[in-house]
Amino acid sequence: KVGVRAGFRERKDVLVKLNADTDVFAVAFDPSPSAFDPADTVEEVKRLCAIAKRKKVWLLDAGFTSLEFVGSSPNRQALFAGQLLRALKESAGLVEGVTWWSLRDDDPEAWRRNVWGAREEPEAAPPLPERAFCGLIDRGGAPKPALREWVNGVRSLPSPK
């Protein structure tokens, strides 16, 4: 099967065109906590399924940061994880798969170096990357509340046919 990974906030006309030309409707579902309420997850997934029509949907790199600096928290991340799996159950089989961004939080300094490259001036360094804190387990190995939501949600899904 062939698909193109598009951002879920991509313009609707672009998503409709991609849907027409591919076998799988694949969308990166990685909302920013400053612009997205986790309580809206189910409605957003329904919107994407409506664009996909009857084509199977893959939600790729789903994740929500737990970084409090940007207005999130481990509990908001857990709410997103639980709502995402609720949306999967309510999608009437249209969502064929979901992948979470990362099992473990990343080292934000390594993220800065690898993603943005070395900066000569410290003030030019970008802010802490939200995506470095999207793991279900923190950097020390402790499970975050989102891991419990994810595991419980996955266990409650119907068995694949």
Side-chain angles (χ1 to χ4, degrees):
K1 295 188 177 190
V2 176
V4 174
R5 178 187 172 275
F8 82 104
R9 291 288 186 204
E10 184 63 71
R11 291 188 344 250
K12 183 178 177 180
D13 63 315
V14 172
L15 292 175
V16 168
K17 176 68 173 144
L18 283 174
N19 183 46
D21 295 337
T22 60
D23 299 319
V24 177
F25 187 68
V27 180
F29 197 67
D30 55 344
S32 169
S34 60
F36 188 82
D37 183 343
D40 295 335
T41 303
V42 173
E43 288 305 312
E44 188 62 30
V45 171
K46 285 180 183 176
R47 181 186 79 83
L48 294 170
C49 287
I51 293 170
K53 302 203 172 162
R54 286 178 279 287
K55 193 172 289 184
K56 296 295 184 180
V57 175
W58 274 84
L59 301 175
L60 305 174
D61 299 337
F64 199 81
T65 187
S66 62
L67 185 61
E68 294 179 12
F69 176 74
V70 295
S72 191
S73 69
N75 288 332
R76 281 192 80 203
Q77 182 190 42
L79 176 62
F80 175 78
Q83 290 293 310
L84 181 63
L85 289 163
R86 181 178 148 222
L88 186 64
K89 281 193 279 191
E90 293 181 11
S91 75
L94 287 176
V95 178
E96 187 173 60
V98 176
T99 63
W100 190 266
W101 171 256
S102 178
L103 175 63
R104 184 182 308 272
D105 283 350
D106 293 321
D107 174 0
E109 291 306 317
W111 182 276
R112 283 186 195 177
R113 286 190 306 275
N114 293 333
V115 174
W116 287 287
R119 304 274 194 242
E120 291 185 20
E121 306 104 32
E123 65 274 2
L128 282 176
E130 293 177 24
R131 298 297 273 167
F133 297 90
C134 286
L136 299 171
I137 298 171
D138 71 21
R139 287 186 56 222
K144 293 160 68 175
L147 179 62
R148 182 181 61 250
E149 288 294 324
W150 186 259
V151 169
N152 290 340
V154 168
R155 286 181 179 158
S156 73
L157 293 172
S159 298
K161 295 177 181 163

